[in-house]
Amino acid sequence: MLEIHNLNARVEGVDILRNLSLSIKPGEVHAIMGPNGAGKSTLGNVLSGRPGYEVTSGEVLFNGKNLLELEIEERAREGLFLAFQYPVEIPGVTNMEFLKASVDARRKHLGMPDLSSFDFMKLARETSKKVSLDPAFLKRGVNEGFSGGEKKRNEIMQMMLLEPSLCILDETDSGLDIDALQVVAAGVNSMRDGKRSFIVVTHYQRLLDYIVPDFVHVLAAGRIVKTGGKDLALELEAKGYAWLDDEGA
Amino acid sequence: MTDFQQQALQLASQQQDSPVWLRPLRGEGAGQWQRAGWPGRRTELWKYTPLQALQRTDFQCWGRAQPQSAGSASLLPLDAIRLVFVNGVFDAQASTAAHPQVVHFSAASEPQRALIEKHLGRIVNTERHLFASLSNAWVQDGVLLHVPRNVILDKPVYIVHVSTPDAEPVIVNQRLLVVLEENAKAELIEHFVSDAQAQNSFVNSLTEVSIGANAELQHYRINLEQEQQIHIGGVHIDLQRDARYRGFTLAEGSQLKRLDFQINHRGAGAHAALNGVYLPRNNQLVDYHTNVEHWAPHCTTSEVFRGIISDSARAVFNGRILIHPHAQKTLAELSNRNLLTSDKAEVDTKPELEIYADDVKCAHGATVSQLDETAMYYLQSRGVSKTQARTMLSFGFINELLQELPRAEVRDYLHHHLAILFGTATDLS
């Protein structure tokens, strides 16, 4: 699914990712944890192609394709999805227009016929209910005036509509109360089908009680310093990150 | 006097069908037009808008009275009191039946004539508005919208000005006077449009509005002409005590397009809200000058203008709010945001606030920006192409103001028209 080899990336001239390697197979859920400034968000941004994130060396293969050569929108159409840590507000562009444009682009790429406006609206309304978003939100500007939780649920809704093969959740749990967290987690879990893969970037172990990972990686100073099973997250929760330095990882 | 001034005056003097009672105004206008210095680069009110396009053209006549039809221009599907003018000539066939509240000056009753004499040419300040004196010098006929005390007009008034190419370049004068008496209420849509062909007219359009105590006007002024059209227009509004004016104006660009809005808060407690959108493309120009003057206390103004300037187009926005000494407890806000979608696009924006009262709350601001990169990335990260993301964001920038329009037919018409212009036409609603 995803093969990252010795990835080095910088932002504004500062090296953030250093020789990061990671391999993800279909159906796996990988959690990435780590202290602030470790490069957790950078990884998602680099993979999605965010402007300003410069890859200096390394290779990323996504379903056998050289991901780093693709435009931002091509990566998305190929099935890569990044749920933003800070979803963007776009007043004047309605959620419905935005979602339709996205889904149209993905379907076209997959050689599927366009959904009619009627069918799409129906699908969008049904999906919004799955993440407990009032369908009235569809007529509002993209994320305009949404609360933090509503924005995150909107991200999950987009993920459901686009049916990506690799989902990267960038601190989707940050700032959520327990109810919203459960809605988000249920949405993610409903999409686990044994083929779709997930990278769950989080600061808090709490999320992993709801989205149970196959692997937990600790990212520090731009590379993965430790990998384990789901129990590693509990250990980190109990001991913090400092002991990893002592281990000389 | 420049050649153009002379030429225009000569053409004006050929128009002798004007009612006798309008002659004093004509004489006054002619005098002012003759005496006026021609605006140049050093004239503050015309600093960024050269008038060469007017001087270049050899205008032969005024809009002629020949039977014409509205041509291919598309009108709003609206149940309204509709008046259609083609190159300034009334087109009875395309218009709805005569209505007692909407009359031509030449057919005005005695009391209506008194109203015209009282207000026409008196709301506009010709010292500041050169082309108003040309309009006065010409004035022959025009439309009076008069809503008496306590009357709510049951249908909107829809006035359409269609331009179509004539054999020789023509000057067209449009004159509208709106008088709402105490507690009256009306909705007015002024729609300037042309058929698709290259135009050769200069439209000089002047609207004067008197809104009486506690009366209310909802006003739309929409300029969607072909780009060769020259248009100089003004809307001048007097608000009496507790009167309310809500306006929306939208203009596509042309080789020369200048629009002035003058709003005078004459009585306490009046409210004015004016939103505007300008969209020059190619080599077009749009110049909006707005001037809101608070003469009385407890009045409020809210003004929001947004422009998208593309290609090598240019926009000028000058928004002035002037608070006179007696206008205590004023609340006034002005915001102007501009989006440049090309390196060659240009906007000259100047919000001005002049305050001579000490207990007021005012804010103003102007920004010029390019498309939001983060929003671009967000859209692209969902598979939307760069080109489509650009058009979605540009359209979204002005769609915010369109969405607020109370009249659904106007909103839908503009939404559809602009979606085509931006290439984002969809049928999602």
Side-chain angles (χ1 to χ4, degrees):
Chain A
M1 171 74 62
L2 185 75
E3 296 287 339
I4 305 175
H5 299 297
N6 294 323
L7 186 63
N8 286 275
R10 55 167 65 179
V11 184
E12 289 171 358
V14 180
D15 292 317
I16 307 285
L17 298 183
R18 300 160 200 263
N19 286 327
L20 186 141
S21 294
L22 181 64
S23 171
I24 295 175
K25 295 194 176 59
E28 290 178 350
V29 176
H30 291 244
I32 295 186
M33 304 186 71
N36 284 328
K40 299 193 300 287
S41 287
T42 300
L43 178 61
N45 286 329
V46 166
L47 293 178
S48 70
R50 182 170 197 144
Y53 288 74
E54 184 197 350
V55 174
T56 49
S57 69
E59 183 187 45
V60 180
L61 294 175
F62 178 49
N63 290 327
K65 286 189 181 153
N66 184 347
L67 184 75
L68 302 177
E69 279 184 353
L70 301 179
E71 295 290 335
I72 304 167
E73 58 268 32
E74 289 169 340
R75 300 178 194 201
R77 292 172 194 168
E78 285 286 335
L80 184 137
F81 182 90
L82 172 69
F84 280 45
Q85 181 178 6
Y86 302 111
V88 183
E89 291 194 24
I90 313 180
V93 176
T94 68
N95 237 333
M96 191 66 105
E97 284 173 82
F98 165 62
L99 296 171
K100 175 89 163 55
S102 312
V103 171
D104 280 352
R106 170 96 165 119
R107 288 179 67 94
K108 192 175 173 198
H109 184 76
L110 295 175
M112 295 160 76
D114 267 5
L115 285 176
S116 71
S117 293
F118 180 82
D119 288 342
F120 179 76
M121 284 195 265
K122 196 166 157 238
L123 175 67
R125 280 194 203 103
E126 283 165 6
T127 312
S128 69
K129 280 179 200 149
K130 286 186 194 163
V131 291
S132 307
L133 266 185
D134 184 339
F137 278 78
L138 295 167
K139 292 194 171 184
R140 289 178 33 189
V142 174
N143 292 320
E144 189 187 2
F146 288 25
S147 71
E150 285 160 351
K151 284 180 184 169
K152 296 296 176 81
R153 279 181 274 159
N154 194 18
E155 295 292 289
I156 300 302
M157 169 165 172
Q158 291 163 34
M159 187 168 90
M160 290 174 152
L161 284 170
L162 290 170
E163 302 186 340
S165 53
L166 175 65
C167 308
I168 305 166
L169 308 179
D170 187 6
E171 302 209 16
T172 301
D173 54 325
S174 297
L176 293 190
D177 63 31
I178 193 70
D179 295 333
L181 180 70
Q182 283 175 343
V183 170
V184 165
V188 171
N189 287 330
S190 75
M191 293 188 69
R192 291 178 72 167
D193 60 359
K195 292 181 216 140
R196 185 170 288 125
S197 309
F198 293 84
I199 298 176
V200 182
V201 175
T202 181
H203 202 69
Y204 308 104
Q205 182 275 333
R206 180 183 68 158
L207 175 68
L208 305 180
D209 290 341
Y210 298 95
I211 303 174
V212 180
D214 300 303
F215 299 93
V216 174
H217 307 280
V218 180
L219 195 67
R223 60 201 179 90
I224 289 170
V225 294
K226 194 169 180 70
T227 294
K230 61 177 195 262
D231 297 337
L232 178 57
L234 294 169
E235 205 175 339
L236 291 167
E237 177 81 354
K239 299 207 244 169
Y241 294 103
W243 61 279
L244 292 165
D245 295 336
D246 301 339
E247 259 190 5
Chain B
M1 214 173 20
T2 59
D3 288 352
F4 174 76
Q5 277 170 290
Q6 207 141 23
Q7 197 180 23
L9 197 61
Q10 199 188 337
L11 290 172
S13 66
Q14 290 166 10
Q15 299 267 327
Q16 292 302 340
D17 305 338
S18 162
V20 179
W21 51 276
L22 283 172
R23 282 199 188 145
L25 183 62
R26 289 184 56 147
E28 189 185 311
Q32 280 176 332
W33 176 252
Q34 248 170 324
R35 285 192 304 275
W38 190 247
R41 279 210 147 275
R42 295 215 185 95
T43 315
E44 191 58 33
L45 285 167
W46 292 92
K47 196 170 173 182
Y48 299 102
T49 301
L51 290 166
Q52 273 87 338
L54 272 182
Q55 287 150 289
R56 269 201 305 269
T57 317
D58 186 19
F59 292 101
Q60 294 295 326
C61 48
W62 298 96
R64 274 174 298 196
Q66 49 188 337
Q68 304 187 72
S69 75
S72 58
S74 66
L75 306 186
L76 277 160
L78 196 62
D79 181 20
I81 303 160
R82 186 176 66 234
L83 286 83
V84 179
F85 293 83
V86 180
N87 282 2
V89 179
F90 183 60
D91 182 342
Q93 251 183 335
S95 306
T96 52
H99 189 282
Q101 253 69 68
V102 189
V103 298
H104 298 271
F105 293 170
S106 51
S109 67
E110 201 60 36
Q112 287 169 331
R113 205 180 101 181
L115 278 177
I116 297 169
E117 283 180 299
K118 182 178 171 197
H119 294 292
L120 194 73
R122 301 291 167 243
I123 297 171
V124 62
N125 172 3
T126 44
E127 296 295 318
R128 211 180 140 87
H129 298 278
L130 170 66
F131 288 87
S133 50
L134 175 62
S135 182
N136 284 344
W138 168 87
V139 73
Q140 171 186 308
D141 210 342
V143 175
L144 169 70
L145 162 58
H146 169 227
V147 188
R149 195 163 172 259
N150 295 333
V151 171
I152 295 172
L153 216 54
D154 57 342
K155 284 182 182 181
V157 176
Y158 179 35
I159 302 182
V160 191
H161 299 290
V162 184
S163 293
T164 188
D166 213 325
E168 302 282 353
V170 295
I171 302 181
V172 174
N173 264 280
Q174 307 285 359
R175 199 68 190 248
L176 173 63
L177 175 64
V178 179
V179 181
L180 305 189
E181 292 183 27
E182 191 178 316
N183 286 321
K185 189 175 171 185
E187 182 179 354
L188 168 68
I189 300 148
E190 292 184 272
H191 187 185
F192 295 83
V193 65
S194 62
D195 49 25
Q197 307 162 60
Q199 301 294 318
N200 61 356
S201 59
F202 158 43
V203 175
N204 184 27
S205 151
L206 184 59
T207 296
E208 290 175 278
V209 180
S210 167
I211 307 180
N214 207 38
E216 180 174 331
L217 179 70
Q218 171 74 48
H219 181 210
Y220 302 88
R221 188 172 169 108
I222 294 156
N223 281 82
L224 305 172
E225 308 98 329
Q226 192 272 343
E227 70 180 6
Q228 290 307 312
Q229 180 84 58
I230 298 174
H231 183 104
I232 295 178
V235 178
H236 302 262
I237 302 155
D238 270 354
L239 291 155
Q240 301 305 332
R241 188 187 176 92
D242 300 318
R244 294 174 298 283
Y245 171 78
R246 294 179 222 283
F248 175 77
T249 172
L250 181 144
E252 288 185 72
S254 79
Q255 61 166 326
L256 169 56
K257 186 171 289 185
R258 163 66 175 255
L259 298 153
D260 277 271
F261 275 79
Q262 167 79 39
I263 298 174
N264 298 305
H265 290 283
R266 302 275 183 205
H271 173 68
L274 176 65
N275 287 358
V277 170
Y278 44 92
L279 305 161
R281 294 173 298 146
N282 304 327
N283 277 312
Q284 301 164 357
L285 165 81
V286 176
D287 174 352
Y288 268 104
H289 268 63
T290 71
N291 187 34
V292 182
E293 296 192 42
H294 285 254
W295 299 89
H298 294 285
C299 295
T300 53
T301 296
S302 150
E303 186 177 338
V304 178
F305 270 77
R306 288 197 181 176
I308 300 178
I309 303 100
S310 323
D311 309 317
S312 305
R314 225 155 51 76
V316 179
F317 177 80
N318 191 297
R320 179 172 180 244
I321 295 178
L322 175 53
I323 318 282
H324 291 281
H326 296 298
Q328 301 294 3
K329 305 286 180 190
T330 291
L331 281 180
E333 274 183 353
L334 164 66
S335 145
N336 172 231
R337 284 174 61 192
N338 296 280
L339 190 62
L340 303 181
T341 64
S342 129
D343 291 343
K344 289 182 188 148
E346 183 184 323
V347 59
D348 298 286
T349 173
K350 188 175 170 194
E352 295 178 79
L353 204 46
E354 281 180 51
I355 304 175
Y356 300 99
D358 55 15
D359 185 12
V360 301
K361 213 167 148 184
C362 298
H364 69 157
T367 64
V368 179
S369 60
Q370 266 123 30
L371 287 173
D372 181 349
E373 276 182 27
T374 316
M376 282 290 293
Y377 163 57
Y378 191 57
L379 290 173
Q380 284 178 270
S381 81
R382 298 302 181 248
V384 178
S385 73
K386 211 171 191 166
T387 319
Q388 196 185 352
R390 246 189 223 126
T391 53
M392 283 173 81
L393 291 180
S394 305
F395 186 57
F397 180 69
I398 53 162
N399 194 32
E400 273 187 89
L401 297 183
L402 293 188
Q403 282 168 339
E404 292 170 7
L405 298 182
R407 169 66 65 182
E409 291 92 337
V410 177
R411 191 170 64 227
D412 294 346
Y413 178 92
L414 289 176
H415 191 278
H416 181 70
H417 179 85
L418 297 179
I420 291 170
L421 194 72
F422 283 93
T424 62
T426 63
D427 51 355
L428 294 175
S429 56

